[in-house]
Amino acid sequence: MSEINIDGPLQCIVSDMTAFYVKGIYYELTLYMDLWNNEIISHSLSSKRGDRMTYISGLRDLLELKKRYPEQKMILHSDQGSVYSSKAFNELLPMYGVTRSMSRAGTPMDNAAMA
């Protein structure tokens, strides 16, 4: 992600998914974090491996927050994972005036805030 000047909340949101086990149960957690103050402003958790709705559910919560600030310019940055690249995920963003930003292929440091 190229350098941007963040001088207030909701200007740049970063997202990533992580997977982990607790007591033998597999979980996937998707987080959406505001780079202004590193606050997690949306999240979604699933115990189903590969559950694409984990991403979409967290995104919907983020977009509900964005609806309260329709004039606020927002960038959503993530890696190039299949869900983040999906049509279903990306069709929602323009409807809310959210600009898409994705890391370069094979460069996890482009999304270092969430790594």
Side-chain angles (χ1 to χ4, degrees):
M1 184 166 83
S2 63
E3 272 194 48
I4 60 170
N5 182 22
I6 301 170
D7 57 11
L10 300 177
Q11 292 176 358
C12 187
I13 309 302
V14 292
S15 182
D16 205 357
M17 186 279 289
T18 190
F20 56 93
Y21 285 93
V22 174
K23 296 185 178 183
I25 300 173
Y26 176 88
Y27 293 96
E28 290 182 354
L29 174 65
T30 301
L31 300 169
Y32 293 83
M33 182 176 78
D34 190 340
L35 282 183
W36 167 247
N37 60 1
N38 295 334
E39 177 183 0
I40 302 299
I41 58 174
S42 180
H43 70 281
S44 186
L45 179 68
S46 178
S47 61
K48 297 179 192 169
R49 186 180 296 254
D51 184 1
R52 299 172 68 85
M53 288 311 295
T54 305
Y55 294 87
I56 301 297
S57 176
L59 177 62
R60 284 191 181 130
D61 291 345
L62 173 66
L63 295 176
E64 283 299 313
L65 178 61
K66 174 69 168 85
K67 280 197 317 193
R68 293 190 287 192
Y69 307 96
E71 300 303 313
Q72 174 68 48
K73 293 184 189 281
M74 179 187 285
I75 296 170
L76 175 60
H77 181 78
S78 71
D79 60 22
Q80 293 187 27
S82 61
V83 174
Y84 290 121
S85 301
S86 72
K87 182 178 178 183
F89 189 90
N90 285 285
E91 282 182 341
L92 292 171
L93 301 179
M95 290 188 263
Y96 294 87
V98 176
T99 301
R100 193 73 183 98
S101 171
M102 297 179 90
S103 58
R104 297 167 292 167
T107 55
M109 291 309 292
D110 279 358
N111 202 19
M114 291 301 289

